[in-house]
Amino acid sequence: MLSMVPLLTVAVLALAKPVWFTMLSRNFDAAAQGLPPPHIGTRETFLWFIWIGGSGLTLPLAALLWRARSQQLRSVAKVGLGPALFNINDAYLFGLPIVLSGALAVPFVVAPLAAAVTTYVA
């Protein structure tokens, strides 16, 4: 049986795409006229600044794991770095394990929120 979470994610993103593309086209029109872009939250903003490294913003976590004292954590970093560059972070989710830990789940949710606020303020 399929899980409902990926299907729900696909449905929400499918609804957001027309809005994002409209905002992007208005930004292009404004740039062509020499005006500042009116919209900040386009899809590209999310791709480059908020979702970098996959869900939970785990690319910086990969950098921290390279310097870990534990050989096991360094091996998780080595295995997961290649896929994390393409926003696939399953090695970190299940290798650390973020999925089963309440203490690690909090930064997994808070890090993208902090990245969104920082991106908006910048």
Side-chain angles (χ1 to χ4, degrees), residues 49-50 57 107 109-121:
F49 296 108
I50 299 168
L57 202 71
V109 172
V110 172
L113 293 174
V117 169
T118 305
T119 300
Y120 182 77
V121 170

Short mmCIF file of all heavy atoms in Angstrom, two decimals, residues 49-50 57 107 109-121:
data_model
loop_
_atom_site.label_atom_id
_atom_site.label_comp_id
_atom_site.label_asym_id
_atom_site.label_seq_id
_atom_site.Cartn_x
_atom_site.Cartn_y
_atom_site.Cartn_z
N PHE A 49 17.76 27.98 -1.76
CA PHE A 49 18.08 28.47 -0.43
C PHE A 49 17.40 27.70 0.70
O PHE A 49 17.88 27.76 1.83
CB PHE A 49 17.70 29.95 -0.31
CG PHE A 49 18.49 30.82 -1.23
CD1 PHE A 49 17.88 31.39 -2.34
CD2 PHE A 49 19.83 31.05 -1.02
CE1 PHE A 49 18.60 32.18 -3.20
CE2 PHE A 49 20.56 31.84 -1.87
CZ PHE A 49 19.94 32.41 -2.97
N ILE A 50 16.30 27.03 0.46
CA ILE A 50 15.56 26.41 1.55
C ILE A 50 15.62 24.88 1.48
O ILE A 50 15.78 24.21 2.48
CB ILE A 50 14.11 26.93 1.57
CG1 ILE A 50 14.13 28.44 1.79
CG2 ILE A 50 13.29 26.24 2.66
CD1 ILE A 50 12.84 29.12 1.56
N LEU A 57 17.22 20.19 5.26
CA LEU A 57 18.45 20.94 5.07
C LEU A 57 19.66 20.16 5.60
O LEU A 57 20.39 20.62 6.47
CB LEU A 57 18.32 22.30 5.77
CG LEU A 57 19.21 23.42 5.31
CD1 LEU A 57 18.76 23.90 3.93
CD2 LEU A 57 19.15 24.57 6.27
N PRO A 107 15.63 19.75 15.01
CA PRO A 107 16.43 20.55 14.08
C PRO A 107 16.11 20.24 12.62
O PRO A 107 16.26 21.10 11.75
CB PRO A 107 17.88 20.18 14.39
CG PRO A 107 17.87 19.32 15.56
CD PRO A 107 16.47 18.95 15.89
N VAL A 109 13.23 19.92 11.38
CA VAL A 109 12.10 20.77 11.02
C VAL A 109 12.47 22.25 11.14
O VAL A 109 12.08 23.07 10.31
CB VAL A 109 10.88 20.45 11.93
CG1 VAL A 109 9.76 21.43 11.71
CG2 VAL A 109 10.41 19.03 11.68
N VAL A 110 13.26 22.60 12.15
CA VAL A 110 13.57 24.01 12.41
C VAL A 110 14.58 24.57 11.40
O VAL A 110 14.49 25.75 11.05
CB VAL A 110 14.07 24.18 13.86
CG1 VAL A 110 14.58 25.57 14.13
CG2 VAL A 110 12.95 23.84 14.83
N ALA A 111 15.51 23.77 10.92
CA ALA A 111 16.55 24.28 10.01
C ALA A 111 15.96 24.85 8.72
O ALA A 111 16.36 25.96 8.32
CB ALA A 111 17.56 23.17 9.70
N PRO A 112 15.02 24.19 8.03
CA PRO A 112 14.43 24.83 6.85
C PRO A 112 13.64 26.10 7.18
O PRO A 112 13.61 27.04 6.39
CB PRO A 112 13.51 23.76 6.26
CG PRO A 112 14.02 22.48 6.79
CD PRO A 112 14.59 22.79 8.14
N LEU A 113 13.00 26.13 8.34
CA LEU A 113 12.28 27.34 8.75
C LEU A 113 13.26 28.49 8.97
O LEU A 113 13.01 29.63 8.54
CB LEU A 113 11.47 27.08 10.01
CG LEU A 113 10.30 26.12 9.88
CD1 LEU A 113 9.68 25.85 11.24
CD2 LEU A 113 9.28 26.67 8.92
N ALA A 114 14.39 28.20 9.61
CA ALA A 114 15.41 29.23 9.81
C ALA A 114 15.99 29.69 8.48
O ALA A 114 16.26 30.88 8.28
CB ALA A 114 16.51 28.71 10.73
N ALA A 115 16.18 28.75 7.55
CA ALA A 115 16.70 29.12 6.22
C ALA A 115 15.69 29.99 5.47
O ALA A 115 16.07 30.94 4.78
CB ALA A 115 17.00 27.86 5.41
N ALA A 116 14.40 29.70 5.62
CA ALA A 116 13.37 30.51 4.94
C ALA A 116 13.35 31.93 5.52
O ALA A 116 13.28 32.90 4.76
CB ALA A 116 12.00 29.84 5.10
N VAL A 117 13.43 32.05 6.82
CA VAL A 117 13.42 33.38 7.44
C VAL A 117 14.67 34.15 7.06
O VAL A 117 14.61 35.34 6.71
CB VAL A 117 13.27 33.25 8.98
CG1 VAL A 117 13.53 34.57 9.67
CG2 VAL A 117 11.91 32.72 9.33
N THR A 118 15.83 33.49 7.11
CA THR A 118 17.08 34.15 6.73
C THR A 118 17.07 34.59 5.28
O THR A 118 17.50 35.70 4.95
CB THR A 118 18.27 33.20 6.99
OG1 THR A 118 18.25 32.77 8.34
CG2 THR A 118 19.59 33.87 6.68
N THR A 119 16.55 33.75 4.40
CA THR A 119 16.46 34.09 2.99
C THR A 119 15.53 35.28 2.78
O THR A 119 15.85 36.20 2.02
CB THR A 119 15.95 32.88 2.18
OG1 THR A 119 16.86 31.82 2.36
CG2 THR A 119 15.83 33.22 0.71
N TYR A 120 14.41 35.30 3.47
CA TYR A 120 13.46 36.39 3.32
C TYR A 120 14.06 37.70 3.82
O TYR A 120 13.94 38.74 3.17
CB TYR A 120 12.17 36.08 4.07
CG TYR A 120 11.12 37.16 3.92
CD1 TYR A 120 10.37 37.27 2.77
CD2 TYR A 120 10.92 38.08 4.93
CE1 TYR A 120 9.44 38.27 2.61
CE2 TYR A 120 9.97 39.09 4.79
CZ TYR A 120 9.24 39.18 3.62
OH TYR A 120 8.32 40.18 3.49
N VAL A 121 14.74 37.66 4.97
CA VAL A 121 15.34 38.87 5.53
C VAL A 121 16.48 39.37 4.65
O VAL A 121 16.61 40.57 4.41
CB VAL A 121 15.81 38.61 6.98
CG1 VAL A 121 16.65 39.75 7.50
CG2 VAL A 121 14.63 38.39 7.89
#
